[in-house]
Each structure stands twice: as C-alpha cells, then as structure tokens.
Amino acid sequence: MAVPLTILTDPRRTGARRELTISPGTTILAAAHAARIDLTATCGGRGRCTSCRVKFVAGSVPPPTIGDEVQLGDELVREGYRLACQCMPTEAVTVQVAPPLEETAFQILGADRGVAGRVSIASGIDKQLVKVSLPREEHHQTSDVEALAAAVGVTAAEVPAGVLTTLPHALREDPAGATVTTFAGRILAVERGDTTSMRFGLAIDVGTTSVVTTLLELTSGEQLASVSSLNPQSVFGGDLMSRIAFAQFNPGNLRKLHTRILGLLNQHIAEVCRASGVLAKWIYKVVIVGNTCMHHVLLGIDPSWVGLAPYAPVMRHALTLAARDLFLKIAPEARVCLLPLVAGFVGADAVAVALATRIYTGEALRIAVDIGTNGEVLLGSAARLWACSAPAGPAFEGGQIRHGMRGASGAIDRATIDDDVRVHTIGDADALGICGSGLLDLVAGLLRAGVIDWTGLIQVEQRDGLPPRLRERVVMRGEERQVIVLRRGEAGAPREIVLTQDDVRQLQLAKGAIASGIAMLQHVAGVPDERVSELMLAGGFGNYLSIDSAVRIGLIPALAPGRIRYVGNAASLGAQLCVLAEPERARAETIARSIEHVSLAAHPDFEQIFVDCMNFPQP
Amino acid sequence: MAVPLTILTDPRRTGARRELTISPGTTILAAAHAARIDLTATCGGRGRCTSCRVKFVAGSVPPPTIGDEVQLGDELVREGYRLACQCMPTEAVTVQVAPPLEETAFQILGADRGVAGRVSIASGIDKQLVKVSLPREEHHQTSDVEALAAAVGVTAAEVPAGVLTTLPHALREDPAGATVTTFAGRILAVERGDTTSMRFGLAIDVGTTSVVTTLLELTSGEQLASVSSLNPQSVFGGDLMSRIAFAQFNPGNLRKLHTRILGLLNQHIAEVCRASGVLAKWIYKVVIVGNTCMHHVLLGIDPSWVGLAPYAPVMRHALTLAARDLFLKIAPEARVCLLPLVAGFVGADAVAVALATRIYTGEALRIAVDIGTNGEVLLGSAARLWACSAPAGPAFEGGQIRHGMRGASGAIDRATIDDDVRVHTIGDADALGICGSGLLDLVAGLLRAGVIDWTGLIQVEQRDGLPPRLRERVVMRGEERQVIVLRRGEAGAPREIVLTQDDVRQLQLAKGAIASGIAMLQHVAGVPDERVSELMLAGGFGNYLSIDSAVRIGLIPALAPGRIRYVGNAASLGAQLCVLAEPERARAETIARSIEHVSLAAHPDFEQIFVDCMNFPQP
C-alpha cells in the first residue's frame, strides 16, 4: 500500500516541501524524479556515490543498506542520512534533500582572445542593407517577397518560410531600408533599418558533465562572453552509460534529458547575451560539439543502441538545422551546425579537438588526450589519425569519490606529501572536499611516500616506517583502509576528509581507462613513446592537473616534460573555429571521415593492457 | 471608473456566466473578446449586422443607439436586445449572449468520387518496404541512417532531421523490415513493418466563411471523408476587410486568427480520420487553397497591407512546408503544399477553380464564378485568362440579413411567389430564417410580382394592385419597408420572418459585386454575352442557387439556360487534383503566373458598371 512521503526540497530550510505518496518497492529517488524534484544521482541511482543522500527528519529511519554504510560511512548513517536510490519506505516519512557538493550555478568564464587570430574569418554569415522597391500600383502583380528577392538577387522560393512573417514590417518601417542576413546565400533574417554591424555566433560544447557556451563576434572573431555550468542531465546519471540506461527504451526519460539540455542552452544564451549586451536575435550561427550520446539526446534521438554492442550511432553526418527546430531563442532561422561524429563513443567533440590541436597536420606523431567523464584519445599526423574513447567516469570531476567534489571554491586542488599531508584549496577557502587535480596529487604523493604500493593498496600494515604525522593518518576503520587527508578543523574543514581504499580503486579505474586508451592507440599504430613528439592535454580537467602527478600515477606516458603541454578546452576551441571559419567546418567533415576508430573492447590485446594500466608505474 | 459586467455565455440557460469588469468607453464586444468569450461579430463590430446582439437581463437597459434601432428593429429593442459592439455600459449590468443563427458544428459531407477518374494518379508519394543491414560489428564505422540511405539509394544528409528520431526503433522492431515514404525522392517517414498500402492525402479549402477538408486515398484517388464547418475566425469579422481590420497592426489579434484556423484544421483532421478509420500519421501530403488573406493568416503572416492600397500580398509563390511547421497532427514531415496566389484579393482558391474547371483549355471563352463571401470571377480560354475578386460579403451566407442564416436545417432555401409567398425549408423543418438561395428566390419572385421595382425599392405605396394575401405582407413599419415572409406560426416559424428594405439593399450590394466583376472582365476582355460559351457556378452557395432566380436578379448574365451549369466546390476539387497529381500542382504555378488580374477599383469604367449592376434588370 502506498504511504505518504514528504520531501523538504531545500537543503537549508524546511519551508519548501512536496507531499507525495510512494508505492511499495519504489525508491525515494524514483518517486522524487517522477514528481520532478531534482535529486542528484551522479552514479545513476546505483548506490555507488553519495549524491542522492537524504536526511530523515520525521518517521522512523530505516535500517541502513550495505550501500548506505559503504558510501555514507558510520557518521552520516548515525545522523539519519540514507541514499535515496536504495531506500524504499514502508511507512510515512519526511526526508530532507542534502546540500549538493556541486556548484550548479553558472560559472562565467573570462572572455579571452579564444581562437581569434588563429584563423581567417569566414563565418559564412553575411549582412547587407537593401532598399526594396515595394509594389506601388494595384495592377503590379507582385509581392513583398518578390521585391525583396529581386533586390537580393535570389528567387522568391529561396526565401525560407520562417522569414516571410517578418517581411511586411521589416520592409516598410525604416526609411534607411532593411538588413538581409544570409548564410551561404540562404536568407536567414530580414530586419528593419541598418543592423549590418550586428553579427554574432555561438560555440557550444555539450559535455557529459559540463556545458560551455561561448559568444563570438563574427567580424573580429572576438570572444564576448563565455559561460560554463553543470550538465543538468547529471542528476539522471553521472557517466554516459548510466545516462543511456536512464533513457533506454523509456521515451519519457529521453524527453527529460532532451528538454533539460535545451533548457540549459537557452539559459546559457540569455546569460551570454546579458553579459555582453548582445540581442539574441542577432545570433545567426551556432556550432555544437558533444559526444555521440549528448549529440543524439540533444536532437531527441534515442541513444539506447549507442549503449548496446556494436554501439552504432543513429547518425554520424554533419547536420544543420534551423534554431527554431531546436527551440533555441536566437534568430529563428539561425543555422545550428552539429559537427559530424565518428562512432558510438567518439563524437563531434573528438573531431573538434582534432581541429583545434591541428593534430591532422605535419609529419610528427602527436597525441591529444581530452580528459573528461567520457574522454577521448587521438593519435596521428597528416598521414593517419586514430581515435578511441576513454570512459574515465566522473572520478576526475569528484564523482564516486567519498569526499569528492567538482573544482569549485573549497575544493582541495593541490596537495603535497612529505612528513605530513599539505593541501591547497580553490579560493583558499575552508576545505570542503577533493577535486580531480587534488586527487591526483594526493595519490601521486602517497605513492612517492610509500603509503600506497604499485597495486594501489593502502599500506596500513607497513605504516610503521612512515614519518609519525603521516603514519597517524593511515588507518584501518572496520575493514576499510583510509588515509585521513584532513581531520575536522584542519585547513578549516568542517568535517573529516578521507581518501578511502575504494577512492584509490576508482582513480585507478579512471586513469586506467585513459592510460589504456593511449597505450592501445600507440599499440595499434605501432608508435612507441620515443616516437611521440608531443602529448596535448585537453578538457576542463586536463588543464588543471599537475603533469608531474599525472606521469607519476601513469595517467599519461612518461615523456620528457617539454613534450607535454596543455591546450585548453580544445573541444570548445574547435567549435569556435567552425563558427568563425566555414573552411574549418568543412574540414571537420573530412577529419571525421578519416579518423580510424579503434574499438578497445573488441581488440584481443586490450584486456592485458587495461590490467597493466590499472596498476601504478613502479618507480 | 470600471463597472462590473456579467455575461451569461450560454444562450439557452443562465448557468454559464463570466464576471468581468468593463472600463468606460469599452464596448461589451471588446470586453468579451478580451476575456476570450466567443461573441460572433460578423460585420467586424461595425454595427452593421445583428450577430453580436445580447439581451440585458439585469441592470438598466441603455437607450438604443441608431445601430440598435436599424439592425435589431423595434421589437428586439423593446425586448432588451442591444448590439454588443455599440453598447458601453456605465453601471453594473448582466447580459445574455443571443443564440447564434449559424450552425457551428461540423457538417459531414457525403464522400463521393470527387475527382477520381478525372486525373491520372501521380501524387508523388511513394512507399517502399526495405530491409536495412544494420551495423553488426563494432569496428564498422557506420550508423543507422547510413545503412538506411544505402538501402534507399540516397545520401545520409538527404534524410530530414525530423525522421532521424524514428530510425532506431523503426529499423529494428519488425523482421519484415521498415517502410520508407518518399515525396519526389525526399524521405518523409520511416515506419516499422510493411505499411506500403497506407498512403493518404488531404485537400483543404480555407474559405472566409467555410472550411472544407477532404481525405483522399492516394492510390485510387477515392474520397474517404469530407468535413465542412464555419471558419472560426468569423467571430472576429464576417468579411475579409473586417477580418483584416481586426488583425491590422495588432499582433495579438493576428495570433488569434492564426491559432483559430490551425486549431480547426486539426479538428478536421481528427474528424476525417475518425470517420474513415485512417491513422493521421499515414497522411503524407496536404494541399491547401484559400484566398490571399486566409493564406497569409494561416502562415501567421500579417495581412495588414493586403487590406491597404495597392493591396500587395506579402508573397505569391507556391510554398511547401513540413506539417510540423504548421503544427498539423499528421506525419510530422508530411508535405503541406500551398498553391500560388495571383494578387491581394485573387488567391490560390481562384487558381484551384481554374484547375478544376479546365477553363485554361480550349478555344471557347468561358466564365467561372466562385460565389462566396470573397468571390472570384475568371474569364478566358487557352489563349488568355483574366480574373478579378468580387467581394460579395456574407449576404449570400445569411450574414447582414435581418433574418438571415447559413444553409442549415430550418433555413428557407427555396421560395416562390404567386398570389402569396410559398417557402421550402431545408430538412422540411420549422422555418428559422432565410439562407442565400432562399433570399435569391424571394427577391426574384418579388421582382416578378412587382413588389420590388428595378431599383430595389419595396413598393409599399403601390401595393394595392397586388393579390390580397401578398398585399398584406407588404408593410411600412415606422420608416422601414418590409415584406413579411412568414408570420409567426406560418411554416412552423417560431417568430415572424421578414425581408427588410435593408436586406434587399444588402443583396443588391452582394449581387452587384459579383455581377460587376463578371461585367468588368467581359468589358476588359472585349467579350459580349453572345461570345461566352459557358458560365460555370462554383462554391458552396453557387451550387444551391436557382439559376432562374440568379438570372432574374442579374447576379449572372442572361445566357441560354443550357450554357449555365453548376461545377461544385471547384476550389476544393482543384486542391484534390493537386493532391492526386503532381502535374496538376505544377500546372497551378503556370496558371497563377498567366492569370491577368483585373483590378476593379482602379479601372475608370468600374464605377458606372457597378452602379448599373446594383440595380435589377428591367424585364
């Protein structure tokens, strides 16, 4: 029998509440999502993270599940916390949503030069002021659109239907004339008066975890504004496979993912327009990149089979739509260009990385690693180009780590270990958790100090040989090995922050995915380390990690330091190139068709390489 | 100061009520429309008809305006009726909406052979069952759409974006394969299993007053169902000019007209599908005809300037859209074809009439008259074709006639006059009012009987020479001349039904518009009556009127009876031809460009011809 369930939806106060009923066998997470309450479930509701935890504030607290104990730990369990994805109430209860660790607010990125100066501007967007001779006599058998077409030099039938509604006013209301915007000869807009100097474009990088939108001025190529935020689909699954599982054969859930991302894009558009003072109706071109799953969901295409062998995408070709078809609130006929895909798990973002890094030029063999929840690795030169996916999962973004968090204020982003653990936090704020680069530094430091061995085991039994202060941080609690990174109060931490054995395993899985991707491409292409002229680190996380730590844990091969460099958010930069230069967009098509996709799981040598890469390099 | 206004919205009971407030200087009609209460205003709220009349049931009845007295007459004014468009209350009142004379329900038309057999079927819609070889191995770098494109023989980029979402399921869920629908090589739909025998199309005639939708089977050409109903825009104005005035420079009102007609089309689609058992998703092609204003409003294009000299349309070319762009609930990518227009007041309906009547063939000179609220006249042969608009207004549909009504049950549709008035009603029901064909018969009979003279004046002073029973029907009430068609109780009439002097004047205006259009075309083309080989009467009304009466009142020239014939709803039949045969649709474009539009008002001889045509022919 269904029982009442009250959810206090605001973590900070009890005022915001929703009254539901919940049927037997239904989890609180499922009931919350059915009622459109945003409850984050980074692991996709599999009991493998802490993001969906709720606190019981009325009604009896159910006994903890194994998931509760493993993920939340004794302390939180005692305080009445449970994982909403594991808990199926059988009597009336009231639960409060826990404050998220993630920053969900928009992050306004500093506008910089972006790719301006790196490319000859040829956006394809053209504006011209025309004076149209309107019909004057009743016996003239003509029309507004015919008069316009004659002035612009096209036929009436070439004027898109979406533009027709604007004509009667636009052609009559300003004595200066009307401004006609075209893209490759196609009319996109007709505006009254002279707006020829107003032409803008958007580059959008839809990542599994983060979405970045950049507004560009199409004459100078200048970045006017850029905004980044969490992909709001994350509440339905942190990594690609759990995202696909959520939507699989479930049209309602697919619609949720679809509308979430379109809603966010419109928020981003409003935000970059507000920040720059640009009117959204002056945005005429958009280039979107993303992995195959993000791409499909953005278009409302069911990604179910992308998640099933042989992982075939529904489409791979470059697609251009009208903005109104995606309900984007810019010029309705603006061209939205989706770059081509390569395979089920190598998407348009990899193509954009190839474009931005120019990896397809020259004779030198280079590697580009886009580190993200769904990472990609590229290897090649002008001669050949290989790519594979490297599904690291959300560990580098703080997901599935006991005290993990995204790289926001209070996150431990740097750490060194000598006779003790020393940390730095973002914004020098009180320590709240560990983000990806901090995790790398911690594990690399613990490896060097001998606290972790090459198999990843925390050396509790051998801790006696450690310096005293470090030794006290290496503990066995129940059956769990832990390193106490910060005790409550250290570095302002409001609670103890630990690194668990399981956290180390998660990192090993994540770095193993990336490292084995690199190794496999080198293996398939027959390129040993010494023939790799350069390794380029791309992606939001890739630009913050310490190269030393990355090499120490074996995330990337031990090339000479000068041969490893950061290349920024290459996927976004590649999209920006395509906004500014049509030849780049044409090149994307060529690159997508020339990339040789290396399917890791299908390769006979992969298993051994992956196992090797899970371990840490022996010094 | 605003005062309370209560509107009882159901003419038959006082239960349905809306409480509003109304500001000084606002008419009840404006307040009702602002509150989205449907109050019919056939004349567009200009005090020129009775359709918006309301009855005061509480509060003091305001003194009648001239409009009230002229339109409603003493009796209704005494009973507390007023015109909502003229009345601006200054104290709290309650009014009841009067029962409409119009039938607003759908009229299911008998399915007949339509144009089947008159044309070689070549709808352009093709369906084929394909078996698609889906990607099987992970290293196959391909996709669903590429596999489909290979099977159909197109490129992936030619598959419309709207079809992509259907692919993963359609290609996998039926071992028989998938059915691909194309139109001129363009893929419109991919459906699972074998649906090759399911292919349907719609012909839609959007008239100012009536909308007719016909469902056609695309292999046989058979009419499966046809439905007709009042254009729901009529509540905002009965004729074109009042409809345009309502929308002029008022985007909110334009949106109302736009959404009303789209809403009705979806109701029609549901109705013809229900009647025939056809699934709406199997409708792949639609052809819409309508006059220029209806066409523009259907597309959401502001018709403001169509109503202002030089009456230029915004567009004239044939347009093909996806059904989803018009929110029509059929196959989303179905092609919706709007036939081309000729000029501001000669639309696609005239082109369709030309198609259906084959007036563009042969050497014989013929005339086609589409009688409607916004009528059109065509004259010509294979050599040349002239057209003009003939804005008869709604009198032929019962509008602006004191006791006028549409051709529904209870309408007087036939009348003869000998020593008395003898009437026939539709369905032999109790007489409720006079429809267009009855009006023609009455006036023609009164002319023959000498009750009306050739100038249209009711001969009250000369009535003594009439047969006694007829004489008693010719009366002067106040300053108004009337013919009492039925006294209360005669032919079951629940109230007196009269023909007023003003009704005769309205008919003179209406028939004068048509007759002067015919005369002008003959004048411009230099074609006297004896060279006209045939006159074709088209349109809903055109097929019910008595040719004798039409000739007697001078609506059409006095050709030999065998040279005048009915041709049905030619606009709809022309649309049906275009649904069934692409060559007909191509011909529509040729015809539209070859028609010479004769602008009546701009012609120096028009005024005299119009004045002559207002009078009745002298025997």
Side-chain angles (χ1 to χ4, degrees):
Chain A
M1 216 188 71
V3 295
L5 167 67
T6 303
I7 300 185
L8 309 180
T9 53
D10 187 329
R12 281 161 301 275
R13 54 197 187 80
T14 55
R17 56 170 63 216
R18 291 281 301 279
E19 312 283 350
L20 316 176
T21 56
I22 184 165
S23 306
T26 305
T27 65
I28 293 178
L29 182 70
H33 282 175
R36 303 186 146 268
I37 296 168
D38 268 5
L39 200 49
T40 306
T42 308
C43 74
R46 294 176 294 175
R48 290 181 51 194
C49 72
T50 65
S51 60
C52 71
R53 70 196 183 284
V54 293
K55 187 174 184 180
F56 279 72
V57 296
S60 62
V61 187
T65 63
I66 294 174
D68 291 327
E69 287 174 343
V70 168
Q71 296 300 333
L72 296 170
D74 287 349
E75 195 176 355
L76 288 176
V77 164
R78 261 198 313 278
E79 290 176 13
Y81 282 92
R82 295 291 182 272
L83 298 180
C85 68
Q86 302 297 312
C87 184
M88 304 174 189
T90 54
E91 56 180 281
V93 291
T94 299
V95 300
Q96 181 157 31
V97 174
L101 297 173
E102 288 80 6
E103 292 273 273
T104 52
F106 297 158
Q107 195 175 349
I108 307 290
L109 306 179
D112 59 34
R113 292 279 300 161
V115 295
R118 282 182 54 189
V119 66
S120 298
I121 307 274
S123 69
I125 297 293
D126 192 38
K127 288 188 113 174
Q128 55 176 310
L129 180 66
V130 295
K131 298 218 180 192
V132 174
S133 301
L134 289 170
R136 283 171 204 280
E137 303 287 342
E138 208 177 325
H139 62 268
H140 289 166
Q141 281 183 239
T142 182
S143 64
D144 290 2
V145 70
E146 288 163 89
L148 171 75
V152 178
V154 299
T155 66
E158 289 176 275
V159 180
V163 170
L164 295 171
T165 53
T166 65
L167 288 189
H169 295 267
L171 297 184
R172 287 178 176 83
E173 289 182 355
D174 196 312
T179 302
V180 178
T181 306
T182 56
F183 178 66
R186 179 191 171 92
I187 295 180
L188 301 186
V190 179
E191 295 151 358
R192 64 177 183 157
D194 185 353
T195 65
T196 47
S197 60
M198 304 301 176
R199 57 183 97 182
F200 303 95
L202 291 174
I204 301 178
D205 172 25
V206 181
T208 310
T209 303
S210 296
V211 180
V212 181
T213 300
T214 304
L215 179 69
L216 299 164
E217 203 283 324
L218 294 184
T219 307
S220 64
E222 197 185 345
Q223 273 193 14
L224 299 185
S226 190
V227 63
S228 163
S229 64
L230 188 67
N231 186 329
Q233 299 169 340
S234 299
V235 300
F236 302 119
D239 60 45
L240 273 192
M241 288 311 276
S242 55
R243 203 80 56 88
I244 292 174
F246 177 74
Q248 212 152 31
F249 309 123
N250 187 325
N253 283 352
L254 172 60
R255 202 171 312 121
K256 278 183 199 170
L257 296 181
H258 178 58
T259 54
R260 288 274 169 130
I261 187 63
L262 295 184
L264 182 77
L265 295 190
N266 276 326
Q267 291 177 334
H268 275 200
I269 289 166
E271 189 57 34
V272 293
C273 286
R274 195 201 54 71
S276 61
V278 165
L279 297 186
K281 67 176 181 181
W282 292 329
I283 298 173
Y284 305 104
K285 183 180 177 185
V286 180
V287 173
I288 301 181
V289 299
N291 60 56
T292 301
C293 176
M294 294 300 107
H295 168 283
H296 279 30
V297 168
L298 184 76
L299 292 173
I301 297 175
D302 187 346
S304 295
W305 284 275
V306 176
L308 299 170
Y311 313 108
V314 174
M315 61 171 290
R316 302 191 306 150
H317 59 287
L319 188 66
T320 300
L321 300 168
R324 63 183 159 78
D325 288 331
L326 282 176
F327 310 102
L328 296 186
K329 294 176 184 167
I330 55 177
E333 290 290 324
R335 298 290 92 186
V336 179
C337 309
L338 289 109
L339 295 194
L341 312 170
V342 176
F345 283 91
V346 177
D349 46 357
V351 176
V353 167
L355 270 182
T357 58
R358 304 296 190 211
I359 194 172
Y360 59 86
T361 61
E363 291 178 19
L365 286 157
R366 300 192 293 160
I367 294 174
V369 187
D370 192 8
I371 304 181
T373 305
N374 186 62
E376 287 113 7
V377 184
L378 292 140
L379 183 156
S381 65
R384 279 179 87 173
L385 204 49
W386 291 266
C388 69
S389 67
F396 291 134
E397 323 242 0
Q400 296 180 17
I401 301 298
R402 174 78 53 86
H403 292 133
M405 67 181 286
R406 291 181 77 216
S409 177
I412 297 172
D413 66 333
R414 289 277 171 261
T416 49
I417 292 168
D418 40 35
D419 61 340
D420 200 355
V421 175
R422 301 176 200 284
V423 306
H424 173 264
T425 61
I426 296 179
D428 290 316
D430 289 348
L432 295 175
I434 308 165
C435 72
S437 59
L439 184 66
L440 246 66
D441 281 0
L442 280 170
V443 172
L446 293 170
L447 275 167
R448 289 192 193 95
V451 177
I452 298 176
D453 74 0
W454 69 279
T455 70
L457 192 71
I458 296 176
Q459 303 291 304
V460 176
E461 293 78 5
Q462 287 76 30
R463 64 186 157 186
D464 292 346
L466 298 173
R469 281 192 287 199
L470 190 55
R471 181 173 62 222
E472 287 166 20
R473 295 187 182 273
V474 181
V475 298
M476 179 73 83
R477 285 178 175 162
E479 296 194 356
E480 188 175 67
R481 293 159 193 268
Q482 293 185 353
V483 176
I484 302 166
V485 178
L486 294 176
R487 301 188 186 84
R488 190 187 300 216
E490 286 180 347
R495 58 167 184 179
E496 190 182 75
I497 295 175
V498 301
L499 182 77
T500 69
Q501 183 63 60
D502 203 44
D503 293 344
V504 178
R505 297 298 181 212
Q506 290 293 341
L507 180 69
Q508 285 178 278
L509 281 168
K511 78 102 186 174
I514 303 279
S516 60
I518 299 171
M520 275 294 294
L521 288 196
Q522 291 186 256
H523 177 66
V524 168
V527 176
D529 287 358
E530 50 276 20
R531 281 186 56 210
V532 176
S533 68
E534 189 174 50
L535 185 143
M536 296 171 283
L537 288 168
F541 171 66
N543 286 282
Y544 289 101
L545 58 77
S546 146
I547 289 176
D548 270 0
S549 296
V551 169
R552 178 61 194 91
I553 69 164
L555 173 66
I556 54 176
L559 305 184
R563 283 159 57 203
I564 302 174
R565 70 176 169 108
Y566 306 109
V567 292
N569 183 350
S572 172
L573 293 171
Q576 293 178 42
L577 283 173
C578 293
V579 171
L580 296 179
E582 282 292 287
E584 298 287 337
R585 202 163 69 85
R587 183 173 292 137
E589 187 78 35
T590 315
I591 289 175
R593 291 302 144 255
S594 69
I595 287 178
E596 298 173 46
H597 173 228
V598 177
S599 169
L600 300 188
H603 197 285
D605 299 337
F606 177 68
E607 198 172 313
Q608 188 54 49
I609 287 178
F610 182 66
V611 169
D612 292 348
C613 287
M614 286 268 288
N615 289 323
F616 296 114
Q618 301 187 53
Chain B
M1 218 188 68
V3 295
L5 167 66
T6 303
I7 300 185
L8 309 181
T9 53
D10 188 329
R12 282 161 300 275
R13 54 198 188 81
T14 54
R17 56 170 63 214
R18 291 281 301 278
E19 312 283 349
L20 315 176
T21 57
I22 184 165
S23 307
T26 305
T27 65
I28 292 177
L29 181 71
H33 282 176
R36 302 186 146 270
I37 296 168
D38 268 5
L39 199 50
T40 305
T42 308
C43 74
R46 293 177 294 175
R48 289 182 50 194
C49 72
T50 65
S51 60
C52 72
R53 70 195 183 283
V54 293
K55 186 173 184 181
F56 279 71
V57 295
S60 62
V61 188
T65 62
I66 292 175
D68 291 327
E69 287 175 344
V70 168
Q71 296 300 331
L72 295 171
D74 286 349
E75 192 177 356
L76 289 176
V77 164
R78 262 197 313 276
E79 290 174 14
Y81 282 92
R82 295 290 182 273
L83 298 180
C85 68
Q86 301 297 312
C87 183
M88 305 174 190
T90 54
E91 56 181 279
V93 291
T94 300
V95 300
Q96 181 157 29
V97 173
L101 297 173
E102 286 80 7
E103 291 274 274
T104 52
F106 297 159
Q107 195 175 349
I108 307 290
L109 306 180
D112 58 34
R113 292 280 300 162
V115 296
R118 280 182 54 187
V119 66
S120 300
I121 306 274
S123 69
I125 297 293
D126 193 37
K127 288 188 114 174
Q128 54 176 311
L129 181 67
V130 294
K131 297 216 180 195
V132 174
S133 301
L134 290 170
R136 284 171 203 278
E137 301 288 341
E138 209 176 325
H139 62 269
H140 289 166
Q141 282 184 234
T142 182
S143 63
D144 290 2
V145 68
E146 287 163 272
L148 171 75
V152 177
V154 298
T155 66
E158 290 176 275
V159 180
V163 170
L164 295 170
T165 54
T166 64
L167 287 189
H169 295 266
L171 296 185
R172 287 177 177 84
E173 289 182 355
D174 196 313
T179 302
V180 178
T181 306
T182 54
F183 178 67
R186 179 191 171 93
I187 295 179
L188 300 186
V190 180
E191 295 152 359
R192 64 175 182 158
D194 185 353
T195 65
T196 47
S197 59
M198 303 301 175
R199 57 183 96 181
F200 303 94
L202 291 174
I204 301 178
D205 172 24
V206 182
T208 310
T209 303
S210 297
V211 180
V212 180
T213 299
T214 305
L215 179 69
L216 299 164
E217 202 283 322
L218 294 184
T219 307
S220 64
E222 197 185 342
Q223 272 194 15
L224 299 185
S226 190
V227 63
S228 163
S229 64
L230 188 67
N231 185 329
Q233 299 169 339
S234 300
V235 301
F236 301 119
D239 60 46
L240 273 192
M241 289 309 276
S242 56
R243 204 80 57 87
I244 292 174
F246 177 73
Q248 213 154 33
F249 310 122
N250 187 325
N253 283 353
L254 172 60
R255 201 171 313 118
K256 278 183 200 170
L257 297 181
H258 178 57
T259 54
R260 288 272 170 133
I261 187 63
L262 294 184
L264 181 78
L265 295 190
N266 276 326
Q267 291 177 334
H268 275 202
I269 289 166
E271 188 57 35
V272 293
C273 286
R274 193 201 54 70
S276 61
V278 165
L279 297 186
K281 68 176 180 182
W282 291 331
I283 298 173
Y284 305 105
K285 183 181 176 185
V286 180
V287 173
I288 301 182
V289 299
N291 60 55
T292 302
C293 176
M294 294 301 106
H295 167 284
H296 279 30
V297 168
L298 184 77
L299 293 172
I301 297 175
D302 187 347
S304 293
W305 284 276
V306 175
L308 299 170
Y311 313 107
V314 174
M315 60 171 292
R316 301 191 306 150
H317 59 286
L319 189 66
T320 300
L321 300 168
R324 62 182 160 77
D325 288 332
L326 282 177
F327 310 101
L328 296 186
K329 294 176 183 167
I330 55 177
E333 289 290 324
R335 298 290 92 187
V336 179
C337 310
L338 290 109
L339 296 193
L341 311 171
V342 177
F345 283 91
V346 177
D349 46 358
V351 176
V353 167
L355 271 182
T357 57
R358 304 296 190 212
I359 194 172
Y360 58 87
T361 60
E363 291 178 19
L365 285 159
R366 298 193 293 160
I367 294 174
V369 187
D370 192 8
I371 304 181
T373 305
N374 187 62
E376 287 114 4
V377 183
L378 292 140
L379 182 157
S381 66
R384 280 178 87 173
L385 205 48
W386 292 266
C388 69
S389 66
F396 290 134
E397 324 242 359
Q400 297 180 17
I401 300 299
R402 174 79 53 85
H403 292 134
M405 66 181 289
R406 290 182 76 217
S409 176
I412 297 171
D413 65 333
R414 289 276 171 261
T416 49
I417 291 168
D418 38 38
D419 61 340
D420 199 354
V421 175
R422 303 178 198 283
V423 303
H424 172 264
T425 61
I426 296 179
D428 290 316
D430 288 348
L432 295 174
I434 308 166
C435 73
S437 59
L439 184 65
L440 246 66
D441 282 359
L442 280 171
V443 172
L446 293 170
L447 274 168
R448 288 194 194 96
V451 176
I452 297 176
D453 74 0
W454 70 280
T455 70
L457 192 73
I458 296 176
Q459 304 290 305
V460 177
E461 294 79 3
Q462 288 75 30
R463 64 187 157 188
D464 292 344
L466 298 173
R469 281 192 286 198
L470 190 56
R471 181 172 61 219
E472 286 165 21
R473 294 187 183 273
V474 181
V475 297
M476 180 72 85
R477 285 177 175 163
E479 296 195 354
E480 188 175 66
R481 293 160 192 266
Q482 292 184 354
V483 175
I484 300 166
V485 177
L486 294 177
R487 299 188 187 86
R488 190 184 301 212
E490 287 179 348
R495 59 167 182 177
E496 190 181 75
I497 295 176
V498 302
L499 181 79
T500 69
Q501 182 64 60
D502 202 44
D503 293 343
V504 178
R505 297 300 180 211
Q506 289 294 340
L507 180 69
Q508 285 179 278
L509 280 169
K511 78 103 187 173
I514 303 280
S516 60
I518 299 172
M520 275 296 294
L521 288 197
Q522 290 185 261
H523 178 66
V524 168
V527 176
D529 286 359
E530 51 275 21
R531 282 187 54 210
V532 176
S533 67
E534 189 174 49
L535 186 144
M536 297 171 282
L537 288 169
F541 170 67
N543 286 281
Y544 288 102
L545 58 77
S546 146
I547 289 178
D548 269 359
S549 296
V551 169
R552 178 62 193 90
I553 69 163
L555 173 66
I556 53 176
L559 305 184
R563 283 158 60 202
I564 301 175
R565 70 179 169 107
Y566 305 109
V567 291
N569 184 349
S572 172
L573 293 170
Q576 293 178 41
L577 284 173
C578 293
V579 171
L580 296 179
E582 282 293 287
E584 298 287 336
R585 202 163 69 85
R587 183 173 292 137
E589 187 78 36
T590 315
I591 289 174
R593 291 303 144 256
S594 69
I595 287 178
E596 298 172 46
H597 172 229
V598 177
S599 170
L600 300 188
H603 197 285
D605 300 336
F606 177 69
E607 198 173 314
Q608 186 54 49
I609 286 179
F610 182 66
V611 169
D612 291 347
C613 287
M614 285 269 288
N615 287 324
F616 295 114
Q618 300 186 51

